[in-house]
Amino acid sequence: MMLPFYLNPLSVFRTLDQIDREPPSYTADRASTSRTTLIVLFSTCVALLLLNYAKNSSSMVAALTQIALWQGHAGDYWIAKLDQTGFYDLGRYVWWSGWHVIAYVLIPAFVLRVFFQQRLIDYGWRWGETHKHWRGYLVLLSPILILVVLVSHRDDFVNHYPFYAQASRSWLDFIAWEFFYLLQFACLEFFYRGYMVQTLRPHYGSSAIWIMVVPYLMIHFPKPWLEATGAIFFGLFLGMLALRSRSIWGGFFVHAGVAISMDIASLIQQQRLPQQWLPW
């Protein structure tokens, strides 16, 4: 399959130049550039700072403990209640996913409404022309799926995925886990390929993509070096595709395809696909 021209490494600069020639690239006046840059990048810093320290399960435990103490209960009251449901581990990931919604969607939504009088939906949530660029997204997804199949036989792979250890307990567990897992990918795509590149494009043109790639790379630093390195190129190509399609959904489906395939491949190798619909 021939690479779409905007994913051909030899044509990257040509594609970026084309983005620069089309509105809304460089349509903002110089007086607003400093203000917009300050607002967008400061809100980015706040979102990343909040997410980094609030998404962890230790923060959830601290919050539930404080709530219990405020209510006059023992500190572990709500933690014990959650554990009794059998969904304590899932609850940790609901907390984790919820903070992605707050940091990656609600904070930008506040900024767009208050400072720019813009609607959230206009920043990549529409389908746009995603269907016209399906080959580009398929090119990004295909080699990763092949790699997933190859590494699914490794012990370190099957011991790592799915992140939610009880995903194999029932289809309810598996579906609930995948829902919250994919929710954070939708939030991530909006924040980097919607909010950041769209707000900065009128001021910096295609360079808005490179501004976005820096923090996108940095959130991958806890991951293996090869995955972190790949984030540079994926950030670039997904940014280009998002601007061409005017949508975040192609990038979301790439992430979703990788995430679900890794979980299913691991469960198949472990012979642990769910055997019942409910955990009780």
Side-chain angles (χ1 to χ4, degrees), residues 138-177:
L138 184 62
V139 166
L140 291 177
L141 179 61
S142 298
I144 302 178
L145 294 181
I146 295 173
L147 183 62
V148 167
V149 174
L150 294 176
V151 302
S152 65
H153 301 278
R154 294 172 55 92
D155 290 340
D156 54 352
F157 180 89
V158 298
N159 291 332
H160 192 65
Y161 298 102
F163 295 149
Y164 176 45
Q166 292 180 299
S168 63
R169 185 173 62 173
S170 69
W171 284 110
L172 175 62
D173 284 279
F174 180 82
I175 293 171
W177 154 243

Side-chain angles (χ1 to χ4, degrees), residues 20 27 99 132 140 150 167 255 271:
D20 285 339
T27 56
W99 279 104
K132 294 183 179 180
L140 291 177
L150 294 176
H255 277 109
Q271 298 183 343

Side-chain angles (χ1 to χ4, degrees), residues 6 16 35 43 60 69 71 76-77 96 159 162 174 235 240 256:
Y6 45 80
L16 295 176
R35 177 176 176 269
S43 64
M60 181 190 78
L69 292 175
Q71 296 176 327
D76 64 346
Y77 178 82
W96 172 76
N159 291 332
F174 180 82
M240 293 164 60

